[in-house]
């Protein structure tokens, strides 16, 4: 269980740093890859879409965890409710705020899909791992707002921020490597001894 928790936190941190760095460069990437001026200006929507991928490690953890314990009967409810929230929100908000609100509503429903499973009784009945999904949502939200506010800064500053991000990734790998390898060795010892 500790190995799964450490790997999930490790991947979660890498996702946040990686999506932040990728989203920082979307304006330049769109100007290189997209020849249509109107589409080129949609990079700010792509920032939100890319940043919503931060929730994937948490979602993968709880779906795999409940799948391992064969307690998956509630997963369809999460997806259905999230889809309904997204569709209804889009019908109500797109006429008022425009198409960009669809990215925001999808961001929020992805959060819902990735976090609400931790609070269902089927997960809580077997849970042995605290991953603090609300904390990860707050961190992801802050990083999304930060990268969105930095989207138009000069390339030189983006290079400095990207170098800092790469150094953070190196630090995370250095910090988590012993935690993951020690847990993995203990797990291998447990398997061999049983």
């Amino acid at each position: 269980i500790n190995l799964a928790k450490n790997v999930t936190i490790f991947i979660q941190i890498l996702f946040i740093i990686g999506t932040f760095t990728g989203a920082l460069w979307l304006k330049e990437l769109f100007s290189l890859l997209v020849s249509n001026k109107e589409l080129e200006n949609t990079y700010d929507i792509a920032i939100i879409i890319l940043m919503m991928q931060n929730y994937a490690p948490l979602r993968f953890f709880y779906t795999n965890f409940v799948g391992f314990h064969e307690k998956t009967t509630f997963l369809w409810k999460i997806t259905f409710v999230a889809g309904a929230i997204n569709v209804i929100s889009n019908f109500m908000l797109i006429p008022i705020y425009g198409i960009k609100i669809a990215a925001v509503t999808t961001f929020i429903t992805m959060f819902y899909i990735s976090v609400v499973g931790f609070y269902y009784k089927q997960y809580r009945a077997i849970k042995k791992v605290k991953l603090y999904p609300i904390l990860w949502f707050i961190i992801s939200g802050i990083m999304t707002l930060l990268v969105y506010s930095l989207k138009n800064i000069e390339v030189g500053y983006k290079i400095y921020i990207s170098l800092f991000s790469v150094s953070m990734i190196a630090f995370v790998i250095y910090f988590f490597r012993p935690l993951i390898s020690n847990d993995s060795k203990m797990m291998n010892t447990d398997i061999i001894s049983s």
Side-chain angles (χ1 to χ4, degrees):
I1 296 295
N2 281 337
L3 177 62
K5 178 181 179 178
N6 289 340
V7 167
T8 302
I9 292 171
F10 172 71
I11 293 170
Q12 184 69 53
I13 293 169
L14 290 181
F15 262 65
I16 290 173
I17 296 170
T19 57
F20 175 87
T21 306
L24 187 64
W25 289 96
L26 280 176
K27 180 180 179 181
E28 288 73 19
L29 187 63
F30 268 51
S31 67
L32 286 173
L33 298 178
V34 179
S35 59
N36 182 327
K37 213 47 168 162
E38 290 176 18
L39 277 178
E40 188 178 315
N41 292 327
T42 61
Y43 69 92
D44 52 345
I45 296 173
I47 290 172
I48 297 168
I49 292 170
L50 181 58
M51 292 302 288
M52 81 176 67
Q53 300 311 312
N54 287 333
Y55 303 127
L58 290 176
R59 186 176 63 253
F60 293 155
F61 175 82
Y62 86 73
T63 54
N64 286 323
F65 193 73
V66 297
F68 177 77
H69 292 282
E70 299 178 356
K71 304 283 185 190
T72 58
T73 57
F74 70 99
L75 293 178
W76 72 269
K77 296 174 189 174
I78 295 172
T79 306
F80 180 80
V81 169
I85 291 170
N86 199 5
V87 169
I88 292 167
S89 298
N90 285 337
F91 273 125
M92 291 177 8
L93 299 174
I94 288 175
I96 299 167
Y97 297 104
I99 195 69
K100 290 183 182 179
I101 198 70
V104 174
T105 60
T106 305
F107 183 89
I108 292 167
T109 54
M110 286 299 289
F111 160 71
Y112 174 82
I113 288 172
S114 300
V115 171
V116 77
F118 287 99
Y119 300 101
Y120 265 77
K121 66 180 178 183
Q122 290 90 335
Y123 176 79
R124 286 191 323 235
I126 56 175
K127 124 177 143 170
K128 298 174 184 172
V129 180
K130 287 189 176 183
L131 285 173
Y132 309 102
I134 301 298
L135 173 66
W136 291 112
F137 169 69
I138 292 168
I139 292 169
S140 183
I142 290 169
M143 296 301 281
T144 300
L145 292 173
L146 180 61
V147 75
Y148 199 83
S149 68
L150 296 173
K151 66 184 177 187
N152 292 320
I153 63 171
E154 293 180 30
V155 172
Y157 292 122
K158 288 184 180 187
I159 291 170
Y160 288 129
I161 293 170
S162 297
L163 290 173
F164 178 74
S165 294
V166 169
S167 66
M168 289 302 296
I169 289 172
F171 173 76
V172 167
I173 291 170
Y174 177 78
F175 178 76
F176 272 92
R177 194 183 74 224
L179 293 174
I180 292 170
S181 65
N182 286 341
D183 284 341
S184 148
K185 287 176 189 170
M186 287 180 6
M187 188 175 82
N188 288 338
T189 305
D190 291 344
I191 291 171
I192 293 169
S193 63
S194 56

